[in-house]
Amino acid sequence: MKNLKPLFLGGAILIFFAWALNNLGLLKSGLFSLMEMLGPFLIGAAFAFILNVPMRAMERLLLKRVKRKKFARALSMVLSLVIVALILAFVFMMVIPEIIETIAQINRGIPGFIREVGQWIEGLTDNVPELGDYLTSLQNDWSNLNKNLLDVLQNTVTNVLVSTVGVATSMIDAIVTLVIAVIFAMYILAQKEKLASQGKRVMYAYLPQKRVDRILEILRLSSRIFSGFIAGQCTEAVVFGCFCFLGMTIFRLPYALTISVLIGFTTLIPIFGAIIGTVVGALLIMVASPIKAVIFVIMILVFQQIDGNLIYPRIVGNSVGLPGIWVMMAVTVGGSLLGVFGMLVFVPLASVAYCLIRENVGKRLKLRNMDGRAAGL
């Protein structure tokens, strides 16, 4: 009977894959519905994992002075949440007002730009009479053009109103999801030892001991790698932001602190995150000086090449135990599959897979007495 178990298991897996291939639409809608239902709790679990990194360090420091573990746990949890909230508030307060002011300046400059275009067209028609005749013929249909333009504006206003209602509803849903996620994260952090103990009891009750020991070993490895990835990613973001601020100060570019904070924040998205900050920063600088905006883009492109090929693979690669070439591959594949979320998650996932495969390969080579021969390849 034991020999038939793998056969039954393999058959069940093949049947499931066959059903999934024939019902991709149903499977996809079911997964989306499940993700939507569990979304706040998954986000809360992610928040708890991220907050646990600084919280664990602060809790160790507090326990050296305060012997009450519950008080140290609560204080470190609140401090971690406050620190993250203050960092986000600082970034938004630095960046959003400048973006709004830039949009306002662009809006104020549109009439002057239209006048310059009109003067340029008038000068062009004086030099090219055929173009003037063509523009004069277009004026014959000006009434129809006005009517069509009015219809377009009316449809646009209607679409904007509908979109505004949709955005407002989405914002309310996002706020509710965020509140639930934060509360769930606080519960996890407050009772993480108890939850871990309950999970172990359930696994030991229903699974073989060796399998549970292996699962726990993989979970400890994953926790260590993900924690190292978060710390390394934050370190890399600070380093890149400081490089940006130093370069902008040397070249005397405007909005040095604001843009450096923005780029440092967006650099949390592995390797490609700086592009987002670069686009926004260039738009901010372009209002003051288009030439300085070009200098800024060139400077960031140079910094990004240095960061992507030297700094990022070393800082983040060392923190997760993954060689630089695999870091870049994981970011590329993760981004193509799941966008920004894939970029953030695939590096530590690839590191876990790399460690497990390396361990398994080492065991197999040792069993075949090929350690020395494989090392010489």
Side-chain angles (χ1 to χ4, degrees):
M1 189 66 182
K2 289 184 178 180
N3 295 330
L4 293 177
K5 281 185 178 180
L7 185 61
F8 285 134
L9 181 61
I13 293 174
L14 289 176
I15 291 172
F16 173 77
F17 273 111
W19 176 86
L21 289 174
N22 292 322
N23 299 274
L24 286 177
L26 181 61
L27 182 63
K28 189 175 180 180
S29 62
L31 287 175
F32 273 115
S33 300
L34 183 62
M35 290 293 292
E36 186 177 358
M37 181 177 61
L38 298 178
F41 304 104
L42 295 176
I43 295 172
F47 281 170
F49 188 87
I50 294 171
L51 290 173
N52 188 53
V53 176
M55 173 185 159
R56 189 168 46 196
M58 284 188 285
E59 189 174 2
R60 283 197 296 262
L61 293 175
L62 289 172
L63 284 174
K64 293 179 180 179
R65 299 186 179 185
V66 181
K67 300 302 181 183
R68 297 173 59 185
K69 186 175 181 179
K70 289 186 178 180
F71 176 76
R73 169 67 54 84
L75 183 58
S76 60
M77 185 168 56
V78 172
L79 287 175
S80 301
L81 187 61
V82 169
I83 289 172
V84 172
L86 288 176
I87 292 173
L88 293 176
F90 174 73
V91 171
F92 287 123
M93 289 176 65
M94 287 289 296
V95 174
I96 290 179
E98 296 296 344
I99 294 176
I100 294 175
E101 177 61 26
T102 300
I103 294 174
Q105 289 184 22
I106 294 174
N107 188 42
R108 289 194 295 267
I110 287 176
F113 174 75
I114 292 176
R115 285 195 299 270
E116 291 179 2
V117 171
Q119 293 173 0
W120 177 76
I121 291 176
E122 288 179 0
L124 187 63
T125 53
D126 292 338
N127 296 325
V128 185
E130 293 81 3
L131 180 61
D133 296 337
Y134 176 72
L135 293 175
T136 302
S137 64
L138 290 179
Q139 292 179 359
N140 295 328
D141 296 329
W142 186 251
S143 58
N144 293 329
L145 182 63
N146 282 339
K147 183 178 181 301
N148 294 332
L149 182 61
L150 182 61
D151 293 337
V152 170
L153 288 175
Q154 289 175 347
N155 294 330
T156 302
V157 169
T158 303
N159 292 332
V160 167
L161 290 175
V162 173
S163 300
T164 302
V165 174
V167 168
T169 305
S170 300
M171 288 183 63
I172 293 173
D173 292 340
I175 292 172
V176 172
T177 300
L178 182 62
V179 171
I180 296 174
V182 170
I183 294 173
F184 186 66
M186 295 298 101
Y187 274 114
I188 293 176
L189 292 173
Q191 305 180 28
K192 55 183 180 179
E193 291 87 1
K194 184 177 180 180
L195 291 172
S197 176
Q198 290 175 345
K200 289 180 183 178
R201 288 172 61 87
V202 171
M203 285 192 294
Y204 277 119
Y206 291 99
L207 296 174
Q209 181 178 348
K210 289 185 178 180
R211 188 171 296 177
V212 174
D213 292 338
R214 183 58 177 166
I215 291 173
L216 293 177
E217 184 181 345
I218 294 174
L219 288 176
R220 283 191 290 267
L221 174 67
S222 302
S223 177
R224 178 178 61 81
I225 288 175
F226 271 80
S227 299
F229 173 73
I230 294 171
Q233 196 67 33
C234 292
T235 303
E236 197 266 343
V238 172
V239 170
F240 194 84
C242 291
F243 268 116
C244 179
F245 180 76
L246 182 62
M248 293 185 71
T249 303
I250 293 173
F251 289 106
R252 297 182 179 180
L253 301 179
Y255 310 114
L257 181 59
T258 300
I259 294 175
S260 299
V261 170
L262 173 65
I263 288 183
F265 184 74
T266 55
T267 304
L268 291 173
I269 302 172
I271 294 180
F272 303 110
I275 297 176
I276 302 172
T278 301
V279 172
V280 179
L283 290 175
L284 291 173
I285 297 175
M286 190 178 294
V287 176
S289 172
I291 296 177
K292 289 184 177 181
V294 174
I295 295 173
F296 168 76
V297 171
I298 294 173
M299 182 191 75
I300 294 297
L301 288 176
V302 174
F303 283 169
Q304 192 178 7
Q305 290 300 315
I306 298 172
D307 176 76
N309 294 288
L310 296 176
I311 299 175
Y312 182 85
R314 289 182 178 274
I315 293 178
V316 180
N318 290 339
S319 68
V320 299
L322 190 65
I325 186 173
W326 300 118
V327 172
M328 298 182 66
M329 185 176 292
V331 170
T332 304
V333 174
S336 63
L337 292 177
L338 298 175
V340 175
F341 179 76
M343 292 181 183
L344 293 172
V345 174
F346 264 61
V347 173
L349 283 179
S351 181
V352 173
Y354 177 82
C355 292
L356 295 176
I357 293 172
R358 182 178 59 185
E359 178 187 352
N360 187 262
V361 169
K363 287 181 179 179
R364 287 178 175 271
L365 289 175
K366 190 173 182 180
L367 288 174
R368 299 177 64 184
N369 295 321
M370 297 184 66
D371 284 356
R373 183 177 297 181
L377 292 177

